[in-house]
Amino acid sequence: MPVKKIGFIGLGVMGAPMSRNLVMGGHEVTGFDLSAEAIRAAGNRPASSAAAAADGADCIITMLPKGDHVKQALFGDGGACEKLPKGSLVIDMSTVQPLETDEIAAEAQSRGFRFVDAPVGRTSRHAEEGKLLIMAGAEVGDLEDARQYLSLMGDTIIHCGKPGMGSRAKIVNNYMSIVSNVVVAESLVLAERSGLDLDVAIDVCRGTTAGQGHLNTTYPAKVLQGDTAPGFMLDLALKDLKIALELAARINAPTYAGAAARPVYELGQACGKGREDWTAMLQLLRGI
Ligand code: NAD
C-alpha cells in the first residue's frame, strides 16, 4: 500500500490512538492539537498549526469535541484548508450536530475538497485496538478512497449515505443508547429498592426483551415485517408500566423515563392501538 501523508487534528482520548493506528499502518501522520501535551503524548510528527499539518497532505482527519472546533480547525485562521492541496480528502470523525456537518461539508466542497463525515461508535479501548465502528457519509468513490485510512482505525465501516448521513446515524445511535441508559439505571434501582437481589434481576432482564433490546427481538419479528397483530398488546404494556410506576412511587424509586413513556402509551390507546402489538409504537410515532 502506498504511504500517504495524513494531517490529524485533535489528539485527545480518541484521536491519539486513532492517529497511532494510522502510523502503524505505514502512513506518515502529522498531528496538531491546541494542547502541546496532547501532541507530545500522541507521538506523531508534531505540527505548529492545523495548516502546517495539512501542508502537502493527501488527507486531513479531524477528531474534535464539537462542530465549532471542526470549523475553526478547517476554515479558521491557520486552519487546515489554507494549505491542504485541492482535491484532498477531509474526513471529520467528530460527533457533531448533523446540521453543522452539512455546513462543514458544503464549505469544504466549495473550497475544492472531498468531504467524508465518519463519526465512530464504541469506546477508547476500541480506538486503541483499531476496532471502532465507523459510520460514513460520503460519495461512493470518496469512501473507497477513505477506506485505506478508516480500515486502520475501525473493523466495521457502514456506508450510511451521502455526506451528512454518517453524522445523522451517529446521533440516532447515541439517542437510543443515551436514553436507554436512564431506563436501565432506573430498572436496577427499582430492583434494589424492591428487595430483589441485583444479580438475579440482571439475569432475568438479560433473558428477555428488556435486556436483549427491542431492535434485536420484537421489532424485527413484528412491526418491521408490517405485522402488528398482538404478540404482547399495547394495553397490557400500559397496565404493566402503571404497576411499575405505582410500586416505584411506594418505595421511592426514581422513574423519570417511565413517567415520560406513560403518556406515549396512553396516546397509543387513545388512537385505537391498544389491542395492537406494542411495537405498533413505531407506527404511532410515524403518524405524529
Ligand atoms: P478529547 O477532549 O479527549 O479530545 C479532543 C481534543 O481536541 C483535545 O485534545 C483538545 O485539545 C483538541 N482541540 C479542541 N479544539 C481544537 C482545535 N480547534 N484545534 C486543535 N485541537 C483542538 O475528546 P475525545 O474523547 O477524543 O472525543 C473527540 C470526539 O469523539 C468527540 O466529538 C466525541 O463526542 C467523539 N467520541 C468520543 C468517544 C469516547 O469514548 N471518548 C467515543 C465516540 C466518539
Side-chain angles (χ1 to χ4, degrees):
M1 196 172 60
V3 176
K4 294 292 176 101
K5 288 183 76 175
I6 304 165
F8 203 108
I9 305 172
L11 301 167
V13 170
M14 298 295 282
M18 289 161 69
S19 67
R20 280 195 287 269
N21 283 329
L22 293 168
V23 175
M24 304 255 278
H27 297 300
E28 191 181 293
V29 179
T30 307
F32 175 68
D33 194 290
L34 291 182
S35 152
E37 171 53 25
I39 298 180
R40 197 199 55 72
N44 315 127
R45 291 162 182 246
S48 56
S49 67
D55 202 357
D58 297 292
C59 162
I60 193 95
I61 298 177
T62 45
M63 190 55 170
L64 296 163
K66 292 196 276 184
D68 282 349
H69 303 118
V70 178
K71 287 177 186 168
Q72 189 199 340
L74 292 176
F75 312 126
D77 268 357
C81 291
E82 284 180 5
K83 294 281 187 185
L84 189 66
K86 298 291 176 207
S88 299
L89 274 175
V90 173
I91 306 179
D92 181 28
M93 304 190 73
S94 325
T95 301
V96 165
Q97 162 63 256
L99 304 174
E100 273 189 287
T101 299
D102 293 346
E103 291 169 13
I104 294 165
E107 183 65 31
Q109 286 160 350
S110 77
R111 292 175 185 233
F113 305 109
R114 296 177 295 140
F115 182 83
V116 175
D117 45 303
V120 306
R122 301 182 182 155
T123 65
S124 55
R125 184 173 58 79
H126 296 95
E128 303 275 353
E129 293 169 353
K131 291 185 176 167
L132 293 166
L133 182 149
I134 299 177
M135 298 154 247
E139 302 300 341
V140 172
D142 294 340
L143 180 57
E144 285 321 303
D145 195 10
R147 273 184 199 278
Q148 60 189 312
Y149 313 115
L150 300 180
S151 62
L152 294 170
M153 297 180 278
D155 65 1
T156 310
I157 300 170
I158 299 180
H159 188 196
C160 301
K162 291 192 175 297
M165 292 301 154
S167 192
R168 284 163 174 77
K170 171 68 180 170
I171 297 305
V172 167
N173 173 79
N174 280 22
Y175 180 72
M176 194 182 293
S177 60
I178 288 165
V179 175
S180 64
N181 180 24
V182 178
V183 77
V184 168
E186 282 180 1
S187 305
L188 298 186
V189 172
L190 179 62
E192 285 170 340
R193 294 207 182 154
S194 57
L196 260 173
D197 181 282
L198 189 60
D199 290 336
V200 169
I202 290 171
D203 257 4
V204 168
C205 292
R206 278 191 175 148
T208 72
T209 297
Q212 290 168 358
H214 280 280
L215 268 193
N216 286 318
T217 55
T218 59
Y219 272 56
K222 297 296 291 182
V223 70
L224 295 178
Q225 306 273 355
D227 173 13
T228 59
F232 181 50
M233 239 187 270
L234 194 137
D235 273 347
L236 291 177
L238 178 58
K239 172 199 63 123
D240 294 356
L241 175 58
K242 286 178 179 167
I243 292 172
L245 292 174
E246 192 184 316
L247 173 66
R250 295 264 186 94
I251 61 178
N252 285 326
T255 51
Y256 299 98
R262 179 176 175 162
V264 191
Y265 279 94
E266 286 170 342
L267 182 66
Q269 231 175 18
C271 292
K273 292 196 172 293
R275 301 192 63 75
E276 290 185 45
D277 190 68
W278 56 336
T279 60
M281 185 62 76
L282 175 65
Q283 296 174 337
L284 176 74
L285 296 187
R286 274 178 175 157
I288 290 176

